[in-house]
Amino acid sequence: MRNIRKGTGESRRGKETLLLILDSAKTILIEQGYSKLSMRKVAVGAQISVGNLQYYYPSKNDLLKDMLDHSIDEFMDEFERLRLGANNDPELHLKSIINFIVLDLGNPTTTTFYPELWALANHDEYADKLMDEIYARVRVPLEDSIMRLNPRLDFEQVQKVALFISSSMEGMTMFVGHGKVWNDSIQHMANIATMSFLQLVKNITPDDIQENSFELANHNG
Amino acid sequence: MRNIRKGTGESRRGKETLLLILDSAKTILIEQGYSKLSMRKVAVGAQISVGNLQYYYPSKNDLLKDMLDHSIDEFMDEFERLRLGANNDPELHLKSIINFIVLDLGNPTTTTFYPELWALANHDEYADKLMDEIYARVRVPLEDSIMRLNPRLDFEQVQKVALFISSSMEGMTMFVGHGKVWNDSIQHMANIATMSFLQLVKNITPDDIQENSFELANHNG
DNA sequence: GGATCAATTGTACAAGTGTACTAGTTTAGT
DNA sequence: ACTAAACTAGTACACTTGTACAATTGATCC
């Protein structure tokens, strides 16, 4: 709630409407996509008038910002809980993170919200900055596990392996997410991911990363 | 050009305008996102009148369909060329596919077009069907290589490993794509991907995939 | 029991939207 | 040269959009 009009949403009643608004906006984004998200629809969804909506969020952009913040906080809260209950064994910790993230893709909200965010980030500076922040935070526990499992890597290399693992999991969203063709296989995908990432982390050497590109695209056959 | 009005775009001149239209629409989708894509803007971009645009595409939806078809065909043509020049060695073939796809993510068009498509697929049936078709075709050469590199897997398992590899690469789009924070590391990411996927394909067993989920989320510590 | 400010409503407007429709111009075939 | 079809432009309409604004209700405090 950082983008509301100053001195607003401070009473109990005000806070309730604020949540109704954010919930309505999120629901519309998820069910209909950003192109169908309008102030009027949000107002209807929150069962308030357009004027009242504008009292809280003078512009659509202000609403969008807060909605993104709010939606992402919900995920980060859950993720933080997972971090706190971290296992001392880095391998088990890594496994639990992988399982958590991949299975979370099956959540209907996650399945549709994040692709919207990625598309938005290509044209909206705020969404772009927000994305960087979330995924940087998601990578932290990954980096920690990788570092401990493979001391040969320097931090820059650890970062890149963590980035690979994290982005790799995100990519499954469009295929194993809720309602997607391969949704039934989501647990199998989590298994493959676990096995694959663990082997990667244990066996990768600095040379594997730095290795020069071999020219294949041009002279193959 | 399957969704144009019947008996349209058959003269040389007509075909030219058709391409101008599709190009304009694609440019707007990439530069401004789907929410800003309007018939008027497309007409301006193609330097024709709205009326003329409607002559080719009676409805916005018809235009959208053809635009998606057309944009995807461009990628598939390139990809098909890669397939035809396939190496007999399945390992080299796999490597070349990985390198091609990952490095293609750095293409500005790819970077922004595909996230738009993924978001669209969550709310548009046609985009959803189209996505299934593209990625199924991308998976074919992957499945072929995997099958030859690891005969222990049955076809269903091969499919899942191919799906994992394919979706994994797509996930990098938002991080190493054009203009993204990690774009400089795109070749390193391709290296990690190559190393990781190759090890996965060679070493994975049917048991790794089928394995029951271990319960970690609930009782950790 | 006013005073003060948060919360809510309703209306209004300019700009943009998709699309229907009419009337022209250009092109190609005979 | 005539004709039919392909192509192009322009206008019009009903509807949605974001946002500005005035007016009213509600609650809280001294």
Side-chain angles (χ1 to χ4, degrees):
Chain A
M1 335 281 185
R2 264 169 277 155
N3 303 288
I4 54 176
R5 179 176 275 151
K6 200 177 151 190
T8 268
E10 295 190 342
S11 74
R12 187 176 61 253
R13 192 176 172 195
K15 277 176 189 153
E16 278 171 15
T17 354
L18 217 35
L19 285 182
L20 283 177
I21 292 172
L22 293 173
D23 234 54
S24 168
K26 187 182 178 183
T27 303
I28 293 170
L29 181 76
I30 287 169
E31 289 182 353
Q32 313 193 46
Y34 178 67
S35 71
K36 306 272 187 200
L37 182 74
S38 76
M39 295 292 269
R40 275 167 182 83
K41 279 189 190 166
V42 172
V44 169
Q47 298 187 339
I48 60 174
S49 66
V50 211
N52 197 14
L53 173 55
Q54 278 188 289
Y55 170 71
Y56 290 93
Y57 296 102
S59 83
K60 186 184 176 183
N61 220 276
D62 294 323
L63 169 58
L64 179 68
K65 282 173 166 184
D66 247 21
M67 191 252 284
L68 294 180
D69 280 348
H70 184 250
S71 301
I72 280 161
D73 281 350
E74 284 179 4
F75 172 80
M76 288 316 286
D77 283 352
E78 259 193 274
F79 191 70
E80 211 62 30
R81 227 172 298 141
L82 176 71
R83 266 197 83 185
L84 293 178
N87 201 300
N88 252 346
D89 180 11
E91 179 166 333
L92 278 181
H93 191 198
L94 186 60
K95 280 185 178 179
S96 83
I97 295 173
I98 296 169
N99 233 258
F100 173 81
I101 293 185
V102 174
L103 294 188
D104 181 62
L105 302 180
N107 186 324
T109 301
T110 306
T111 302
T112 50
F113 177 83
Y114 283 87
E116 290 290 337
L117 178 64
W118 304 332
L120 224 45
N122 278 323
H123 313 107
D124 182 303
E125 207 178 339
Y126 189 82
D128 190 48
K129 203 194 70 184
L130 207 58
M131 255 194 71
D132 281 346
E133 289 173 9
I134 326 161
Y135 288 114
R137 281 175 64 190
V138 169
R139 262 178 267 130
V140 170
L142 287 176
E143 289 162 354
D144 183 58
S145 297
I146 295 167
M147 226 156 52
R148 293 163 70 192
L149 282 168
N150 190 337
R152 282 172 301 187
L153 305 176
D154 65 32
F155 186 60
E156 218 175 283
Q157 291 154 351
V158 167
Q159 279 187 305
K160 284 171 186 170
V161 174
L163 176 67
F164 172 78
I165 292 177
S166 167
S167 61
S168 182
M169 290 188 288
E170 294 304 303
M172 298 188 212
T173 310
M174 304 81 79
F175 302 96
V176 304
H178 176 257
K180 302 295 174 182
V181 179
W182 297 85
N183 180 256
D184 289 344
S185 309
I186 191 166
Q187 183 60 61
H188 288 167
M189 285 297 130
N191 292 345
I192 297 177
T194 305
M195 178 270 182
S196 175
F197 295 152
L198 222 59
Q199 218 172 38
L200 163 69
V201 169
K202 285 180 182 171
N203 297 334
I204 196 167
T205 66
D207 284 348
D208 288 325
I209 301 175
Q210 238 65 38
E211 186 178 311
N212 279 333
S213 143
F214 56 106
E215 305 282 338
L216 260 173
N218 301 328
H219 59 78
N220 38 20
Chain B
M1 333 282 184
R2 262 170 278 155
N3 303 288
I4 55 177
R5 178 175 275 149
K6 197 176 154 190
T8 266
E10 294 191 343
S11 74
R12 188 174 58 253
R13 192 177 173 194
K15 277 178 189 154
E16 278 170 16
T17 4
L18 217 37
L19 284 182
L20 283 177
I21 292 172
L22 294 173
D23 234 53
S24 168
K26 187 183 178 183
T27 302
I28 293 170
L29 181 76
I30 287 170
E31 289 181 353
Q32 313 193 47
Y34 178 68
S35 70
K36 307 272 185 200
L37 183 74
S38 77
M39 295 293 269
R40 276 165 182 84
K41 280 187 190 167
V42 171
V44 169
Q47 299 186 337
I48 59 173
S49 67
V50 211
N52 196 13
L53 173 55
Q54 278 188 291
Y55 169 71
Y56 290 93
Y57 296 103
S59 84
K60 185 184 176 182
N61 221 276
D62 293 324
L63 169 58
L64 179 68
K65 284 173 164 182
D66 247 21
M67 191 252 286
L68 295 179
D69 280 349
H70 183 249
S71 302
I72 280 159
D73 280 350
E74 284 179 4
F75 171 82
M76 288 315 287
D77 282 351
E78 259 193 272
F79 190 71
E80 210 63 30
R81 228 173 296 140
L82 177 73
R83 268 199 79 186
L84 292 178
N87 201 299
N88 251 345
D89 180 10
E91 181 166 333
L92 278 180
H93 191 198
L94 186 59
K95 280 185 177 181
S96 83
I97 295 173
I98 296 169
N99 234 257
F100 173 82
I101 293 185
V102 174
L103 295 187
D104 181 63
L105 303 180
N107 187 323
T109 300
T110 305
T111 302
T112 50
F113 178 83
Y114 282 87
E116 290 290 337
L117 178 64
W118 302 333
L120 224 47
N122 277 324
H123 314 106
D124 182 304
E125 206 177 339
Y126 189 82
D128 190 49
K129 204 194 68 185
L130 207 56
M131 255 193 72
D132 281 346
E133 288 173 8
I134 326 161
Y135 288 113
R137 280 175 63 190
V138 169
R139 262 178 268 129
V140 171
L142 288 176
E143 288 162 356
D144 183 57
S145 298
I146 295 167
M147 226 155 56
R148 294 164 68 193
L149 283 167
N150 191 337
R152 282 173 300 186
L153 305 177
D154 65 32
F155 185 61
E156 217 175 285
Q157 292 155 350
V158 166
Q159 278 187 306
K160 285 171 185 171
V161 174
L163 176 67
F164 172 78
I165 292 177
S166 167
S167 61
S168 181
M169 292 188 288
E170 294 304 303
M172 299 190 212
T173 310
M174 305 81 80
F175 302 97
V176 305
H178 176 257
K180 302 295 175 182
V181 180
W182 297 85
N183 179 256
D184 289 344
S185 309
I186 191 168
Q187 182 61 60
H188 289 166
M189 283 299 129
N191 292 344
I192 297 177
T194 305
M195 178 269 184
S196 176
F197 295 152
L198 221 59
Q199 219 173 39
L200 164 69
V201 169
K202 284 179 182 171
N203 296 333
I204 197 168
T205 67
D207 283 348
D208 288 325
I209 303 174
Q210 237 64 38
E211 185 177 313
N212 278 335
S213 143
F214 57 107
E215 303 282 339
L216 261 172
N218 300 329
H219 58 79
N220 38 19

